[in-house]
Amino acid sequence: MKGLFVKYPNTIIVSPMATRSVLFSSSFLLILLSFSLEKSNALEGRKTIESNFHTIQLTSILPSSSCKPSSKGKRGGASLEVINKHGPCSQLNKKGEKGPTLTEMLAHDQARVDSIQTRIAAQNFNLFRKTEKTSKKYRAKDSKTTLPAQPGIALSTGNYIVTVGIGTPKKDLTLIFDTGSDLTWTQCEPCFKTCFPQQQPIFNPSSSSTYSNISCSSTACSGLKSATGNSPVCSSSTCVYGIQYGDSSFSIGFFAKDRLTLSATDVFDGFMFGCGQDNKGLFGKTAGLIGLGRDPLSIVSQTSAKFGKYFSYCLPTRRGSNGHLSFGKNGAKSNLQFTPFASSQGTSFYFIDVLGISVGGKSLAISPMVFKNAGTIIDSGTVITRLPSTAYSNLRATFREFMSKYPRAPDLSLLDTCYDLSNYTTISIPKISFNFNGNTKMDIVPNGIFIVNGASQVCLAFAGNGDDDSIGIFGNTQQQTMEIVYDVAGEKLGFGYGGCT
């Protein structure tokens, strides 16, 4: 019975050959088990890598030369089409005409950031003086910084534009929209001094049957101080506004009211706005600006009876698809996360609480106090997100570590982490996520991670402030293609994915 078990009463004896067979079988099973575990670990590792990285075609983040409008679908409320004014869907530039270079755009962006930070620092300092608090931090800043008597409002050279109607009959005007400003204004005939070039005919108030100037004695006129940072003046009995931006761009003119048309069913009589007679600056052939701040004179407040201080937008990329600016809750997405607005610190900006950042699934070792001490606003007009210097240094170091296999490219203006991807068709980039108050997490989409100056210069779209005390700004590049909701009455900010489609 060679090679078989030999049976004795109540005993089992295993032959040597059978023993070898069992050992072989056990070893084979161990090898199979080990292989299975290795395969499982490899799959888990691959899933972890896939969940923490974006693998994309390089062409998906490069600018496009053709306009490819997206279908928004039917939205409730008043919904306006949003266009990237430097993209191929913009009608502001003539065919073949070159817009500003990326270096110029970044320089304008820095001017805006400087203006915002100076304005908030000045207001905070005044608030501290009024409450007789003598913080060493603000005393030190005051001793080494010359603040303007009337701090400039944020420079409104933002990338995004909408078209609204003003007057009766209505005249369509393409305006920059800006969450960092309050007063809506447009250039007006007869332009007593200077008007900058704009694509559409300049609004002529004499052609509108519903136009009227606002008197100096009105409470609305006195409200211009908080909306513009400048006290109004009088021309005869007419209220005159003046607003100056961070790069010395400005608009001066009559404070007026007229009919505002957002859609065929969303018409507002007596809308108060600036009718600019002397205007100069970097407004890119637009007709002026829509202010989406918190002030009583902003469009958000003036339409609140119908829309309840609730608006949302989706900012398109420069590849050609269109976004929207919508007022009212009707048609808002249901898959939104919300974070409460932080204290506005006496300004009309929208403050949010950043708690942390992760890169490639790795939580960065940044104390939440770094973000809390500086404060952060979300802004539709700032292009590049600005972080406290400690936070940015940490983000940059971790991002560079994950991107080490790609060749570096020269810095671009304030962007100091650039790559030459011209020899690649597919790239893998670490995901960047922001954690906000309210247990909410935003994963930045791939187009929001880079600013692209061609395939040979693809740069991380973040920058550091000079210190940890200056205000942080969550910019529009990081907001692209997302549904961003401002529930101003509910004091919260919402966001969801796929907002432009």
Side-chain angles (χ1 to χ4, degrees):
M1 299 290 294
K2 193 174 182 181
L4 298 176
F5 294 116
V6 181
K7 296 182 181 179
Y8 290 91
N10 301 319
T11 305
I12 298 178
I13 298 176
V14 182
S15 71
M17 191 167 187
T19 301
R20 288 195 298 271
S21 178
V22 171
L23 288 172
F24 174 78
S25 298
S26 298
S27 298
F28 184 69
L29 286 173
L30 285 171
I31 291 170
L32 284 177
L33 180 60
S34 176
F35 177 77
S36 177
L37 287 172
E38 286 180 8
K39 186 176 181 181
S40 176
N41 288 336
L43 287 172
E44 286 298 316
R46 187 181 303 165
K47 287 179 181 177
T48 300
I49 291 172
E50 289 176 352
S51 65
N52 293 326
F53 283 73
H54 298 289
T55 300
I56 60 172
Q57 295 293 311
L58 179 63
T59 54
S60 69
I61 61 173
L62 297 177
S64 173
S65 59
S66 61
C67 177
K68 300 174 183 177
S70 61
S71 175
K72 300 192 302 289
K74 190 173 181 180
R75 305 183 69 90
S79 187
L80 308 172
E81 183 179 57
V82 169
I83 295 173
N84 187 311
K85 75 178 185 183
H86 302 301
C89 290
S90 175
Q91 300 298 315
L92 294 182
N93 299 320
K94 295 178 182 178
K95 190 174 181 180
E97 185 178 59
K98 290 185 178 180
T101 66
L102 190 51
T103 299
E104 290 170 336
M105 287 176 59
L106 292 172
H108 299 163
D109 197 46
Q110 189 57 50
R112 177 185 178 90
V113 169
D114 292 342
S115 175
I116 289 174
Q117 292 176 339
T118 299
R119 182 182 174 194
I120 293 175
Q123 288 170 325
N124 284 342
F125 179 72
N126 289 334
L127 180 64
F128 269 60
R129 290 206 315 181
K130 284 180 183 178
T131 56
E132 297 183 353
K133 290 185 178 180
T134 55
S135 165
K136 288 185 179 180
K137 181 173 77 170
Y138 286 98
R139 279 179 174 269
K141 280 200 164 190
D142 185 52
S143 65
K144 68 180 181 181
T145 304
T146 302
L147 301 178
Q150 301 293 342
I153 306 298
L155 175 66
S156 298
T157 56
N159 290 341
Y160 298 99
I161 53 178
V162 295
T163 300
V164 302
I166 293 181
T168 306
K170 79 176 179 72
K171 301 296 182 182
D172 286 336
L173 299 170
T174 298
L175 308 174
I176 297 167
F177 75 87
D178 184 10
T179 59
S181 297
D182 294 298
L183 181 70
T184 297
W185 62 268
T186 187
Q187 299 196 108
C188 286
E189 294 286 3
C191 286
F192 289 136
K193 193 168 183 183
T194 303
C195 277
F196 56 82
Q198 68 178 57
Q199 193 254 352
Q200 296 153 321
I202 294 175
F203 179 70
N204 189 340
S206 65
S207 66
S208 173
S209 62
T210 48
Y211 176 91
S212 62
N213 289 325
I214 293 173
S215 70
C216 276
S217 59
S218 69
T219 55
C221 182
S222 60
L224 280 171
K225 170 71 173 178
S226 64
T228 66
N230 294 294
S231 298
V233 296
C234 291
S235 175
S236 298
S237 61
T238 300
C239 185
V240 175
Y241 76 94
I243 185 167
Q244 184 173 5
Y245 297 92
D247 70 335
S248 298
S249 299
F250 61 84
S251 176
I252 301 169
F254 298 123
F255 190 37
K257 56 185 178 181
D258 205 340
R259 177 172 292 170
L260 171 71
T261 301
L262 300 179
S263 72
T265 57
D266 297 291
V267 180
F268 300 86
D269 289 323
F271 178 75
M272 293 177 285
F273 70 105
C275 196
Q277 301 291 324
D278 186 9
N279 317 281
K280 187 176 181 180
L282 303 169
F283 300 105
K285 295 189 179 180
T286 64
L289 178 143
I290 287 179
L292 290 167
R294 297 172 180 259
D295 191 84
L297 289 180
S298 75
I299 191 172
V300 178
S301 297
Q302 290 197 59
T303 61
S304 62
K306 183 166 188 177
F307 298 131
K309 292 189 177 181
Y310 190 104
F311 69 95
S312 63
Y313 57 69
C314 181
L315 306 179
T317 69
R318 293 183 67 185
R319 290 188 55 78
S321 61
N322 296 333
H324 69 87
L325 169 63
S326 301
F327 294 89
K329 292 184 179 181
N330 292 335
K333 285 181 171 289
S334 58
N335 59 336
L336 297 172
Q337 299 182 66
F338 282 93
T339 180
F341 285 127
S343 169
S344 65
Q345 301 182 29
T347 76
S348 62
F349 291 110
Y350 295 99
F351 282 77
I352 52 177
D353 285 323
V354 179
L355 302 183
I357 303 173
S358 62
V359 178
K362 178 182 178 181
S363 294
L364 303 183
I366 307 168
S367 168
M369 292 306 296
V370 170
F371 299 108
K372 187 174 181 63
N373 289 340
T376 304
I377 65 168
I378 183 169
D379 182 41
S380 68
T382 298
V383 179
I384 304 297
T385 288
R386 301 307 201 281
L387 298 171
S389 58
T390 297
Y392 176 67
S393 296
N394 205 320
L395 181 148
R396 176 182 59 190
T398 307
F399 188 84
R400 287 178 176 179
E401 179 185 340
F402 281 121
M403 292 286 289
S404 59
K405 69 178 180 179
Y406 298 107
R408 291 286 299 277
D411 295 351
L412 177 64
S413 183
L414 53 84
L415 305 178
D416 61 6
T417 301
C418 302
Y419 298 91
D420 182 354
L421 304 178
S422 55
N423 292 325
Y424 297 85
T425 56
T426 302
I427 58 173
S428 182
I429 56 177
K431 291 183 178 179
I432 297 179
S433 303
F434 276 67
N435 294 319
F436 298 113
N437 190 17
N439 195 30
T440 57
K441 177 184 176 184
M442 178 189 287
D443 293 326
I444 307 300
V445 300
N447 283 93
I449 294 176
F450 288 124
I451 286 284
V452 179
N453 192 34
S456 61
Q457 199 174 30
V458 178
C459 303
L460 179 65
F462 294 82
N465 288 325
D467 52 43
D468 281 349
D469 294 330
S470 299
I471 198 78
I473 304 175
F474 194 78
N476 61 40
T477 297
Q478 284 64 43
Q479 301 173 48
Q480 287 181 42
T481 75
M482 301 193 73
E483 184 86 359
I484 308 294
V485 174
Y486 293 72
D487 185 351
V488 183
E491 285 291 323
K492 58 186 178 180
L493 177 83
F495 57 88
Y497 302 97
C500 290
T501 57

